Amino acid sequence: MSQAVDPRRLAFDWTDAEARRRADAGLVRTLRPRAAEPDVLDLASNDYLGLTHRPEVTQAAAEAALRWGGGSTGSRLVTGTTRLHTRLEQELAEFCGFEAALVFSSGYTANLAALTALGAHGSLTISDAANHASIVDGCRLSRAETAVVPHTDPEAVRKTLDAHPGRRALVVSDSVFSVDGDKAPLAELAAACRAHGPAALVVDDAHGFGVLGEGGRGALHAAGLAGDPDVVATLTLSKSLGSQGGAVLGPARVIEHLVNAARTFIFDTGLAPAAAGAALASLRLIRAEPGLAERARTVAATLHGRLTASGLTSARPDAAVVSVRAPSPDAALRWAADCREQGLGVGCFRPPSVPDGISRLRLTARADLTDAQIDEAVATILRTAPEA
């Protein structure tokens, strides 16, 4: 006599088929908890300036938690704003050259806030084809009409704006793209916006802040656009600042609008005090040590030059991301695994995470890497490289 099927088990039966599909395609993602002390040379994280473990940063995080508590206790508009949050916002805006800033619980929620609160049903958003997933999701949630244009193509942006004369519009782009590490043509994008009229430029400077611009002030500062009345920047506190969280920077009236209209600000619990304290300490270190940004760029250029001189294919880095092509998704996975076995942690990008279908190793050119560590990383990558 057959046993009756428990109807409760049917609710998520479809996930078994999805798991098989991912396994067949070689696309299973796995969580790998790391130890507190690194067991490999880390070229996989986004700790561009090597500040995550700086004593000044960890001490600031601990002191903030002891003083303000383990959590922020509520949304920013209720109990989740401390003096640490407001001080961080003031110093971020001042350092990057903007009127005001607003801190969020992540860079992801910062992008969602900017795009949903500044875009609206009936408006137009123009997005680069290689933009980060948080920008893609922000465009979807905004209910604005979204036009996706070819990668780093300001002429395509201009033509799209010209096709919608007089229409309220946002042009949104990463400043530095996380896959190949190339820069967006920010000055040309701003010019296209200004030729159109009521169009604003929104730039995610997650991979530019701390690395580009004078002393790491960011890609918009380097392009001479920081503080302009039609420009908004978003960034993360989890990369160059070695902490966690995100921020939107722009004209004071835009920040005031986000406080009142951005759902990921209004309804989200505020950033934990420890993260705010760590980010503030890192920001002050960047101001005190302006050579960190230049060192990160130098490490990236050195890695690129030595790997390409040895016959590997690598996109020229504009910031601290170095991308090295692999012949196939399976080869990229094996290459990354072989590097790890030999003591080197590297990132591995492959479809569907990369829109162009090209698999890569992704290397982080940290400012705190020594010349000996660079030698070790290059030797390991070359020793484990698959045949083309």
Side-chain angles (χ1 to χ4, degrees):
M1 183 176 177
S2 62
Q3 292 184 336
V5 176
D6 184 346
R8 295 173 300 176
R9 294 191 58 82
L10 300 177
F12 293 111
D13 269 2
W14 60 271
T15 63
D16 296 334
E18 288 294 299
R20 288 191 294 271
R21 180 188 60 81
R22 285 192 294 269
D24 291 343
L27 297 175
V28 176
R29 294 178 171 91
T30 304
L31 293 174
R32 295 183 176 87
R34 62 176 175 85
E37 296 296 329
D39 55 354
V40 296
L41 176 58
D42 173 26
L43 267 70
S45 75
N46 289 318
D47 186 18
Y48 293 138
L49 303 183
L51 298 180
T52 296
H53 291 286
R54 282 281 293 261
E56 301 95 322
V57 175
T58 55
Q59 182 66 29
E63 290 175 356
L66 288 170
R67 181 177 183 187
W68 298 100
S72 65
T73 76
S75 74
R76 291 287 308 275
L77 289 169
V78 184
T79 57
T81 295
T82 70
R83 293 192 184 98
L84 273 176
H85 292 83
T86 56
R87 190 62 192 164
L88 175 59
E89 288 164 346
Q90 291 165 0
E91 294 195 21
L92 266 176
E94 179 187 357
F95 181 71
C96 296
F98 287 86
E99 274 190 343
L102 192 64
V103 166
F104 290 77
S105 61
S106 71
Y108 211 110
T109 55
N111 273 341
L112 296 185
L115 292 167
T116 57
L118 301 178
H121 181 68
S123 66
L124 174 68
T125 298
I126 302 174
S127 178
D128 189 289
N131 277 340
H132 188 262
S134 58
I135 294 176
V136 174
D137 288 350
C139 291
R140 291 169 175 168
L141 290 170
S142 73
R143 297 182 296 169
E145 178 185 349
T146 299
V148 178
V149 293
H151 182 48
T152 60
D153 189 344
E155 186 57 30
V157 171
R158 187 183 299 276
K159 288 179 179 178
T160 305
L161 288 170
D162 288 346
H164 299 83
R167 191 171 179 184
R168 174 179 154 191
L170 294 177
V171 173
V172 58
S173 177
D174 284 322
S175 65
V176 176
F177 294 89
S178 62
V179 175
D180 271 338
D182 55 323
K183 282 193 306 186
L186 297 181
E188 291 85 348
L189 293 177
C193 290
R194 291 161 184 174
H196 173 73
L201 179 62
V202 177
V203 177
D204 180 355
D205 203 20
H207 298 278
F209 172 68
V211 178
L212 300 178
E214 179 188 351
R217 285 172 170 78
L220 285 162
H221 191 279
L225 297 171
D228 284 0
D230 56 348
V231 173
V232 168
T234 67
L235 51 85
T236 177
L237 313 180
S238 64
K239 294 181 171 60
S240 287
L241 292 182
S243 180
Q244 186 172 354
V248 179
L249 298 82
R253 62 179 180 173
V254 170
I255 300 306
E256 190 271 340
H257 176 72
L258 295 183
V259 170
N260 287 276
R263 293 173 67 85
T264 56
F265 180 82
I266 297 168
F267 298 107
D268 189 26
T269 298
L271 184 68
L280 183 57
S282 289
L283 181 62
R284 290 170 176 173
L285 282 173
I286 293 174
R287 187 189 293 274
E289 301 177 23
L292 288 171
E294 183 179 358
R295 174 60 182 173
R297 298 194 302 269
T298 298
V299 172
T302 301
L303 286 169
H304 169 265
R306 292 182 60 180
L307 292 173
T308 54
S310 298
L312 297 180
T313 301
S314 172
R316 184 178 298 278
D318 287 323
V321 174
V322 180
S323 173
V324 186
R325 292 195 176 190
S328 69
D330 288 342
L333 278 176
R334 289 194 303 272
W335 196 359
D338 289 344
C339 284
R340 184 167 189 85
E341 285 183 5
Q342 298 195 27
L344 177 67
V346 297
C348 178
F349 280 20
R350 56 202 172 101
S353 297
V354 287
D356 60 8
I358 298 172
S359 296
R360 303 162 170 85
L361 296 189
R362 181 186 182 276
L363 316 177
T364 301
R366 295 200 333 263
D368 63 334
L369 290 178
T370 66
D371 290 345
Q373 288 173 322
I374 295 172
D375 292 342
E376 177 186 346
V378 169
T380 302
I381 292 167
L382 294 177
R383 187 167 57 245
T384 57
E387 294 185 5

